[in-house]
Amino acid sequence: MIASLDDVERLLHPAGYLGLAARPLYLLPLLRTGCLSELLTAERADLGWAERFGARMHSLEEQTARREDTFSGRHLEELMGLLPTLVGGRWRGREFGLTAYGTYREHWRQAIERTGALLLVPPAPGGAELLTDKVLMRDWFEHLGVPAPASVVVDSIDYPVLSGKFGPTFVAQKPKSSGGNGTYLITGEREAGELPRRDRWLVSEYAGDTTFSFHGFVPREGAPEVLRPAVQLTGLEGLGSGFGGYVGTDFHAPALLPAQALAKGREAMERIGHGLAELGYRGIFGGDFALRADGSVAALEINCRVLGSTWLLGELELGAGRLPTMVRHFAERHGHSTLGKPDLDPVEAVQLTIRHTAPAGLLLEAPAGGVYALEGDRLVFRRPGAGLLECGPAQTQECVLVNLPRAGTLLHPGGILGRLVARRPLTTPDGRALNQYGQVLVSAMRSLYSFVDAAS
């Protein structure tokens, strides 16, 4: 049983674990606890991370000097093709346990094992099709008694017909998508006509402006757990993402939501957790909810995987001396039972993702990752730092810049300029817009970069 950081040292460190993720930040709790000896990523880590965490890091970005709007399996395929050059013979005879953020593809094992290493892949969780198809998921919610938005499945978006059913504003989604990709807000004939052609759409009522989420955990032993809630930040103006695009998380904002809405969300999460346990799923899951105008809630979807905010949850857990949920997730997948202590209290912790909004440009100047303080309208470097743990309290006006490209990188439109991490609110209470402090921070961060047009 793994119940403490001492248990991690005793039971997990003797094994070598290979991390596989789009971004090193996503696996930060594993790096902080010394669980990873090697890391394969699409984007490269901030300067100093490899030395700080004692892990070798190999990235596609380091080879291509290119950062695009998003990273997909295609980019990790490219990285797999470069492995013999990147690792040489260093992996020959080594055994790695896999800790992968996102979808793992079985043929990647062959690419890794061609280096001479042996990769131990944990068994796939149960219910895979149900948990990745939003149409099946909505049917499952109904079976569990979990409230969800009214919806229909169609093969084309007929605005007059659908607006008659849902009103002038509704949501169209690709059934298999994540992170807000493939989600469209439809407010008229123009948006409906601009959608890509598909043979299946999930169309739903627009349930509310404010969305919040919970982390949940299904252990090998014991009942499913509901963990800390957060307000989901999506599509905020000035950050470079469209409607529904995930741009951040605020772990304190739920304190401003109606207590009854949070209670209904917890109840839904408990039902979902028990349903997942019956399917044979084990590990992290996240539930997204919309807050309706009448105070009720609607379950939008669940994600059965490590989430984009799980690393920040891990920072809070490590700060309190607790075993990070991310560590529990991968330990359980590899056969270790774990014990955690859920904490639902709101706490000051925010992250924002800022994207490049100009044409493709070659980055001439870029800041180093670390802790910065706001002085007037400028951000001034204070000290090294990888995440929230190094950030001072709210009154210091400190923030941490992470996930940054380096000078010499070709940054495409939508590519991530970096993440802002802070201990004070950066948005309005409903999470729908940047507050004045957030606007100043984002502007100050953007001013730290300089580009030359890639076409020139």
Side-chain angles (χ1 to χ4, degrees), residues 58-209:
H58 315 278
S59 72
L60 180 64
E61 186 176 52
E62 188 173 6
Q63 305 303 310
T64 64
R66 183 182 73 242
R67 182 171 290 198
E68 300 183 10
D69 60 338
T70 187
F71 278 107
S72 64
R74 175 177 64 83
H75 298 92
L76 291 174
E77 298 281 357
E78 288 184 50
L79 182 61
M80 292 296 171
L82 295 172
L83 275 184
T85 301
L86 295 179
V87 305
R90 291 194 304 272
W91 286 8
R92 188 165 304 280
R94 294 185 64 179
E95 182 177 273
F96 294 117
L98 177 69
T99 54
Y101 175 96
T103 303
Y104 162 74
R105 302 181 182 184
E106 176 59 27
H107 64 273
W108 290 349
R109 184 211 301 258
Q110 300 169 8
I112 291 169
E113 294 190 344
R114 279 196 290 269
T115 68
L118 175 64
L119 187 66
L120 304 178
V121 180
E129 183 67 19
L130 170 64
L131 303 178
T132 56
D133 187 304
K134 292 178 172 60
V135 174
L136 297 178
M137 192 182 295
R138 291 286 176 87
D139 292 339
W140 188 57
F141 284 168
E142 184 176 1
H143 169 73
L144 296 176
V146 172
S151 61
V152 294
V153 180
V154 297
D155 57 10
S156 63
I157 306 299
D158 187 324
Y159 183 78
V161 171
L162 293 170
S163 61
K165 182 177 182 64
F166 296 118
T169 299
F170 54 86
V171 177
Q173 291 178 291
K174 297 177 182 178
K176 293 193 174 185
S177 58
S178 63
N181 297 312
T183 296
Y184 304 89
L185 182 67
I186 308 301
T187 61
E189 290 273 16
R190 181 179 61 81
E191 290 93 350
E194 291 175 349
L195 290 179
R197 291 184 177 273
R198 291 187 57 82
D199 58 5
R200 192 173 64 142
W201 287 98
L202 175 66
V203 177
S204 308
E205 63 169 318
Y206 183 68
D209 291 337

Side-chain angles (χ1 to χ4, degrees), residues 216-369:
F217 193 82
V218 184
R220 295 163 62 90
E221 301 177 26
E225 305 163 11
V226 180
L227 309 179
R228 198 185 297 276
V231 166
Q232 294 279 78
L233 307 176
T234 60
L236 299 184
E237 185 176 352
L239 300 188
S241 295
F243 172 80
Y246 173 78
V247 298
T249 299
D250 188 327
F251 278 103
H252 186 265
L256 305 175
L257 297 180
Q260 183 178 6
L262 292 174
K264 290 294 184 182
R266 284 195 296 272
E267 179 184 341
M269 286 290 288
E270 288 171 357
R271 294 189 180 201
I272 291 168
H274 284 286
L276 289 173
E278 290 178 2
L279 292 175
Y281 181 83
R282 297 296 182 268
I284 290 171
F285 69 100
D288 296 340
F289 299 88
L291 177 61
R292 297 183 185 274
D294 63 2
S296 62
V297 301
L300 303 178
E301 65 181 40
I302 60 169
N303 292 290
C304 292
R305 55 176 171 80
V306 174
L307 309 172
S309 56
T310 305
W311 77 268
L312 187 57
L313 175 66
E315 295 283 272
L316 294 171
E317 292 165 330
L318 284 170
R322 294 193 174 102
L323 184 64
T325 300
M326 183 183 291
V327 174
R328 295 184 63 195
H329 176 82
F330 289 115
E332 297 249 356
R333 291 287 179 89
H334 282 280
H336 299 279
S337 294
T338 67
L339 182 64
K341 185 179 179 182
D343 187 348
L344 293 170
D345 293 337
V347 63
E348 298 282 8
V350 184
Q351 68 159 329
L352 286 180
T353 302
I354 294 90
R355 295 181 179 272
H356 183 54
T357 55
L362 182 65
L363 191 52
L364 298 180
E365 293 181 302

